[in-house]
Amino acid sequence: MEFLDLPQLLSAAGTVRLPGSKSISNRVLLLAALAEGETEVRDLLASDDTERMLEALQALGVGVTHLGGEHWKIAGCGGRFPVKAAELFLGNAGTAFRPLTAALALVGGDYVLKGVARMHERPIGDLVDGLRQLGADVTYLGNDGYPPLQLKPATIRPGGVVKVRGDVSSQFLTGLLMALPLTGETVAVEVVGELISKPYIEITLATMARFGVVVERDGWQRFSVRAGSRYQSPGTVYVEGDASSASYFLALGAIGGGPVRVEGVGADSIQGDVKFAEALAQMGAIIETGPNWMAARAPEGGLVAVDLDCNHIPDAAMTLATAALFAKGTTTLRNIASWRVKETDRIAAMATELRKLGAQVEEGADYIRVTPAPLKPAAIDTYDDHRMAMCFSLAAFATPLRINDPKCVGKTFPDYFERFAEVTRAAPVIAIDGPSASGKGTVAARVAAALGFAYLDSGALYRLTALAAQRAGVAWGDEAGVAAIAAGLDVVFTGEDIRLAGVLVGDAIRTEEISAGASKVAALPAVREALLFRQRAFNTAPGLVGDGRDMGSVVFPRAPLKVFLTATAEARAERRYKQLIEKGFSANLPDLLSDLQQRDARDSQRSVAPLRQEADARLLDTTHLTIEQAVKQVLDWFAEASFH
Ligand code: DC
């Protein structure tokens, strides 16, 4: 499975331009097509659903011009599609299928609307019933109540009143409302049952108003459009950014200092999820808003827990569940039963994954309660749910973590993690790679001490793996066996001390035998894979110095400073010789030199993560340098790298 490892974050600040809202994008495209005049649509969401709508409009003879980027020009057809007979394929795009059905059923023409198999399992009967009351001629080509559909020219009944159910999906009402002006008559729509997802109907009404059609309404029960209402192009329409997507960045600003500013939604937004900002403000965040932007900053004393009814912002409320990890006290999110029937059972998924990180979580049928605790690294599963992936990225302020299947964000925000990286600052890494006995361990440990950073002796992990395998009677060449040992290594690093299964290891991993074993197990891809996340979990605040062979190339490729630290083989053999003699071991210089050369060859010629100087690594040859000189050089380079 694909994964993304996030280092611990230090801060967040910056500006993000949000991708366009999906709900608004497809409404605007259809109304622009039905309007009189040309409409320039700017900041359209690039997604499957919008692509299906654009294709359909083209097939209907509407002039569609790509202006570059996310900008399009739609030549409106004044309510009469030039192509009077067509078969349209709409994939699995519900936001294209429902409103196009309504519009094409009333506009007069001979059309067939189809989708993928899954689309043919999604009900459309309530909408068809409504359209038939107006005189539309709709035939089910497959099962009754489901696509595919055949549409023939309607005989519109004047003075119509349409009854439509509002308690299943608000999309049927949206489709009907947008199509009403095409009848040329005064028509009223009466909602049967309690209307759900009211904010989405607000979006529909606001978009229709933008195109010059005013819907008269009596609360949420009755809506009517007068005869003679026609869509007029407003010229240029900017599609608002997606308000649910804004929630992650506002939360980043509230947790990570900020300000983080999102552009594309603001006080003038017609999307219900902008109310998320108010919830964040209740947690103490400092929120500023303009007509088309919002920004969040962290409060002086940190965030505080809230107890909130989240029924009006079910999607954005998920972001509060992970923001709660950074709020003093216990946060309760109530009235969120709908979470259980979304992309996944979001209450269960959220609780399971929060617990993996060490948080205290209580869940009920329609609520979740989160109490912060010291968090630990974990691999987070995302359940094919874009919002799980985006929500858990916030937890990186507390601990490094792994996000499994990060590409699931593509549903609404394909480049989420790129934008995320742009506005966050990760704990920095100084990656020091080089051959055995080059002195990099000593240099790395001293650099770490000077900066107050953590220190990762990655070679020790391979040595520990070799030792643990030997103790368990697993041969060093047994890839699966050694990888299992590596994955389960019970090791604790405390300063210079290393404990394996609770017992101090000392020099047992520094013998020549274990050195050879380490070099052998390090050549096994499965072993390297098993140790990868364990190494990345050291990437905590305020920073890390890692030493090894592949720190800069594989483990920390984004390290702001990479050093390739080396010395001639002779100088290194001599250093090792002195070390061994000082420790009271017997040693033979020519043997040491030849061992070292063999290990160099194995480490640099193996196929996985071979030792080599990265193109962006600085070369530090210590043959003629003292340790102090080498340390100073690394610190100077780091100061320079941090400055830039
Ligand atoms: O740095 P060291 O001598 O303690 O490393 C022991 C072995 O582990 C060495 O043969 C190379 C291997 N190693 C590696 O392959 N990748 C690392 N990042 C660190 C060490």
Side-chain angles (χ1 to χ4, degrees), residues 436 440 457-460 462-463 510 515 518-519 522 528 535 547-551 599 603 606:
S436 294
K440 64 189 184 328
D457 172 3
S458 64
Y462 292 95
R463 291 173 178 272
R510 304 286 165 197
S515 297
S519 167
R528 305 198 72 85
Q535 296 174 76
D547 100 56
R549 305 293 185 283
D550 63 346
M551 296 293 97
R599 229 181 309 151
D603 291 346
R606 67 183 178 214

Side-chain angles (χ1 to χ4, degrees), residues 180 341 379:
L180 291 187
V341 294

Side-chain angles (χ1 to χ4, degrees), residues 514-546:
I514 292 298
S515 297
S519 167
K520 283 181 189 149
V521 301
L524 306 172
V527 172
R528 305 198 72 85
E529 182 67 34
L531 291 175
L532 186 60
F533 184 50
R534 197 184 277 269
Q535 296 174 76
R536 288 180 174 164
F538 279 82
N539 192 176
T540 52
L544 171 70
V545 183

Side-chain angles (χ1 to χ4, degrees), residues 426-431 453 539 543-546 551 556 558-562 638:
V429 176
I430 299 177
F453 283 11
N539 192 176
L544 171 70
V545 183
M551 296 293 97
F556 303 112
R558 298 168 81 119
L561 174 61
K562 298 178 184 178
F638 183 62

Side-chain angles (χ1 to χ4, degrees), residues 271-291:
Q271 297 170 75
D273 268 355
V274 286
K275 290 266 193 297
F276 171 82
E278 290 169 18
L280 206 55
Q282 281 188 47
M283 294 180 93
I286 300 161
I287 305 285
E288 280 181 275
T289 39

